[in-house]
Amino acid sequence: MDEITLLRGMRSGIASPPPATLARHRRKVLAGIGVVSSVDTAVAAPPRAAGRGKARRRITLLAAAAAFLVGVLVTADVVLPDRGRATAEATQLLDDVEAAAMSTADPVLLPGQYLKIEREELFSNTFAADGVVLSWDALSRDQLYVPSDLEGEWVWNREAQVPADSAPEVVKELARNRAVNDPRTEAAMVGVFRAPGGDFDGAGYTILGVPPADTSGLPRDPAKLLDRIYEYTKDRGTPDDKAFEMVKEILRTGVIPSDLRVALYRAAALIPGVDAVGSVVMADGREGVALGMVSLDGIWRSDLVIDPATGLVIGEQVVSLQDYDGAPAGTVSSWRSVRTSVVDSAP
């Protein structure tokens, strides 16, 4: 008897949870009460005959307790959509954002028009030659043109990386001579690219496993959507970090309809460690409100920044929470801005 079967015996109307939900809660509960270690120990070194019956009863009772607790936790996921994990601050922030998002109509494209998503990113770069290693901040820009027919031809203009104003002069000189970038990489990454349905790498571009034109089938329930995200990102590293990164990756495409966008915000707020940050000012001067997640070492916070007036994502940033490598706490070490507009043509 698994946990859901046990729980159904106590309460009717419980739906089948995604396998990831069940596995996640089972691992959490078993680890918390030590059932796994008890069972492992029993297998590796069986107890003496006099204590064997007592040990078996303990393991059975712990397993039953674990099954019950897993069932209760899964019930919170499946039966009670609002699990209350989001803090009051995050909930209030998302209520405001949702109201703005639902009152702002998604862009309507006429045949021949494109949704233009302009992205600019600042990140750390390095150059090594003749035993010399240089590090500096670099800028990259790209523009994605998405047609009204999402299965039509997408156009992606990617520009060369350039040193930021703060970069040393020697790096700027190298950049002018294009020595800071690998010419083979740059030739492959810079220019205008075209692909039906946005499938630029030929692997089948999808959003959580479905083509961009079919996102209507993705859950709008935040808990179910988050389970879908955990399932899609499993085995890719720290689950919560990867889930938050996936939410940001999906949103930065700029092609997510408002109802799914709001569901993604609320799903993000259910990820352990994600909370409301409040008002922030992006590097490009635009002001927004942010959901943030602090790194495991407590040194950095990764923000998803939302325009409170429209509910649209306007960018991301990484902020230091401690003095680090000569930069004071509060320094933005990297950022990415996103702007969307409707245009009549593409390159």
Side-chain angles (χ1 to χ4, degrees), residues 91-114:
T91 300
Q92 181 59 57
L93 182 149
L94 292 174
D95 286 346
D96 296 341
V97 166
E98 180 172 357
M102 301 311 292
S103 65
T104 304
D106 290 325
V108 177
L109 303 181
L110 301 175
Q113 289 187 320
Y114 294 85

Side-chain angles (χ1 to χ4, degrees), residues 65-87:
F68 175 76
L69 288 174
V70 171
V72 170
L73 290 171
V74 173
T75 300
D77 275 355
V78 177
V79 181
L80 305 174
D82 183 4
R83 294 173 291 183
R85 285 186 189 170
T87 66

Side-chain angles (χ1 to χ4, degrees), residues 24-256:
R24 177 156 47 88
H25 288 307
R26 181 185 290 119
R27 287 195 300 271
K28 185 182 299 182
V29 170
L30 293 181
I33 65 175
V35 166
V36 172
S37 60
S38 298
V39 172
D40 289 345
T41 301
V43 172
R48 289 176 295 184
R52 187 170 299 165
K54 185 176 180 180
R56 282 180 177 169
R57 285 194 297 275
R58 177 175 179 272
I59 292 171
T60 301
L61 289 172
L62 285 174
F68 175 76
L69 288 174
V70 171
V72 170
L73 290 171
V74 173
T75 300
D77 275 355
V78 177
V79 181
L80 305 174
D82 183 4
R83 294 173 291 183
R85 285 186 189 170
T87 66
E89 291 79 7
T91 300
Q92 181 59 57
L93 182 149
L94 292 174
D95 286 346
D96 296 341
V97 166
E98 180 172 357
M102 301 311 292
S103 65
T104 304
D106 290 325
V108 177
L109 303 181
L110 301 175
Q113 289 187 320
Y114 294 85
L115 185 67
K116 180 181 180 183
I117 299 107
E118 300 175 83
R119 294 174 293 205
E120 185 175 13
E121 180 180 6
L122 179 139
F123 58 95
S124 296
N125 207 345
T126 59
F127 173 77
D130 300 328
V132 176
V133 178
L134 297 171
S135 298
W136 74 96
D137 289 335
L139 280 170
S140 72
R141 297 183 179 89
D142 70 274
Q143 304 86 42
L144 181 65
Y145 297 81
V146 181
S148 55
D149 175 8
L150 292 177
E151 296 178 345
E153 183 181 79
W154 296 32
V155 181
W156 193 9
N157 181 39
R158 302 188 62 173
E159 301 180 13
Q161 299 173 8
V162 297
D165 291 341
S166 59
E169 187 57 39
V170 62
V171 170
K172 294 177 182 176
E173 180 62 26
L174 288 169
R176 283 191 284 271
N177 296 325
R178 306 312 311 161
V180 295
N181 294 330
D182 183 333
R184 294 167 298 179
T185 300
E186 186 159 308
M189 301 295 290
V190 176
V192 177
F193 302 88
R194 305 174 191 279
D199 184 15
F200 291 98
D201 64 4
Y205 177 60
T206 66
I207 295 173
L208 294 179
V210 302
D214 294 336
T215 57
S216 60
L218 291 175
R220 266 51 173 179
D221 177 274
K224 293 178 180 177
L225 181 58
L226 183 56
D227 280 327
R228 179 71 173 264
I229 293 169
Y230 275 121
E231 180 70 22
Y232 190 76
T233 58
K234 68 179 180 181
D235 302 327
R236 298 189 188 182
T238 307
D240 297 333
D241 289 343
K242 289 300 178 184
F244 192 44
E245 286 302 314
M246 178 55 66
V247 168
K248 292 190 292 184
E249 180 179 324
I250 295 170
L251 289 168
R252 81 172 66 113
T253 65
V255 298
I256 305 302

